[in-house]
Amino acid sequence: DAGITQSPRHKVTETGTPVTLRCHQTENHRYMYWYRQDPGHGLRLIHYSYGVKDTDKGEVSDGYSVSRSKTEDFLLTLESATSSQTSVYFCAISESGQGLLVYEQYFGPGTRLTVT
Amino acid sequence: QKEVEQNSGPLSVPEGAIASLNCTYSDRVSQSFFWYRQYSGKSPELIMSIYSNGDKEDGRFTAQLNKASQYVSLLIRDSQPSDSATYLCAVNIRSEGSARQLTFGSGTQLTVLP
């Protein structure tokens, strides 16, 4: 397995509380991504990072923020969790691609978040 | 129209048969294509990447890419019960946002019957 860990692996929280999920990599890859996976919707990109302090929005970024202060860590924050954010969250990493090519993404083990 | 489409299945094949999984995509200039396998309750695992037209073989897996027709397929030869999983197709769709993003299909559920 690529050196990617996510914490926590499981979390139950109440509506309105802040939640932070952590992704940590030991591969020194430039790109890091946060996805959510829901039945009927597949994997959807929330935010991604292309370097320290460099981040951009994905398809479903509303209600989420991210930060990357070190190459190895990418944090996803739900400022005020809602029940619609109950999901499985995956972090992924990737090296820089050459030209127009996108290189392989490798996924972490996931975090199952339940918002009650 | 979804940007990356897969038959949702379920697809059932007998053990030892060839399983054929298909994926079509909308972006004519996409350059990077991937197949992931996901077991229930687990994270997606990369099994194949393909960047050029034609076939790419790795063990029992063959990826086929046809950019003119905008489809990519995955063949699994000598299918085993352990191949039973959901297979995700991923493509870099550049219609919005960065070319570094991947768009995933909703997956095809494969069951290999003993």
Side-chain angles (χ1 to χ4, degrees):
Chain A
D1 290 346
I4 312 169
T5 57
Q6 293 185 232
S7 59
R9 295 292 312 279
H10 302 271
K11 186 170 182 66
V12 179
T13 192
E14 293 184 348
T15 298
T17 60
V19 177
T20 295
L21 308 183
R22 180 182 184 236
C23 177
H24 178 78
Q25 61 145 330
T26 58
E27 305 296 322
N28 200 36
H29 283 359
R30 178 182 176 188
Y31 286 82
M32 298 185 75
Y33 306 82
W34 278 108
Y35 292 90
R36 61 179 289 175
Q37 187 173 39
D38 307 286
H41 291 280
L43 276 165
R44 292 181 292 173
L45 182 65
I46 304 171
H47 282 279
Y48 69 100
S49 170
Y50 48 97
V52 173
K53 298 191 187 304
D54 293 323
T55 65
D56 206 349
K57 296 178 180 180
E59 177 188 357
V60 290
S61 59
D62 287 349
Y64 302 94
S65 62
V66 290
S67 65
R68 191 171 178 197
S69 59
K70 298 185 290 185
T71 298
E72 58 266 34
D73 289 327
F74 192 32
L75 303 181
L76 176 71
T77 298
L78 291 65
E79 300 290 347
S80 178
T82 67
S83 58
S84 65
Q85 293 176 312
T86 293
S87 187
V88 179
Y89 291 86
F90 290 106
C91 173
I93 65 173
S94 174
E95 292 187 280
S96 300
Q98 275 192 327
L100 297 177
L101 297 181
V102 174
Y103 285 174
E104 295 88 347
Q105 290 185 16
Y106 298 94
F107 284 80
T111 294
R112 184 172 296 276
L113 176 68
T114 302
V115 183
T116 61
Chain B
Q1 180 188 2
K2 292 183 181 179
E3 294 180 308
V4 178
E5 292 212 50
Q6 298 180 248
N7 291 332
S8 60
L11 173 66
S12 294
V13 300
E15 184 174 356
I18 296 175
S20 177
L21 306 165
N22 298 311
C23 174
T24 59
Y25 59 93
S26 61
D27 187 351
R28 188 172 297 277
V29 297
S30 291
Q31 298 290 326
S32 306
F33 308 86
F34 307 92
W35 283 100
Y36 288 84
R37 176 176 62 197
Q38 187 174 25
Y39 293 114
S40 181
K42 301 295 186 181
S43 59
E45 172 192 10
L46 179 72
I47 53 173
M48 289 289 283
S49 59
I50 186 166
Y51 299 95
S52 304
N53 276 328
D55 295 359
K56 179 182 178 182
E57 186 174 318
D58 183 1
R60 295 186 296 111
F61 298 99
T62 299
Q64 300 175 317
L65 175 60
N66 184 323
K67 291 184 181 180
S69 300
Q70 294 175 232
Y71 83 78
V72 55
S73 62
L74 179 70
L75 300 178
I76 307 174
R77 291 183 302 280
D78 188 23
S79 295
Q80 301 297 309
S82 59
D83 295 325
S84 298
T86 297
Y87 289 80
L88 304 173
C89 172
V91 181
N92 69 313
I93 299 293
R94 302 191 302 161
S95 56
E96 293 183 16
S98 166
R100 301 300 178 196
Q101 296 180 24
L102 290 183
T103 298
F104 287 79
S106 54
T108 298
Q109 185 178 344
L110 172 67
T111 300
V112 180
L113 304 170

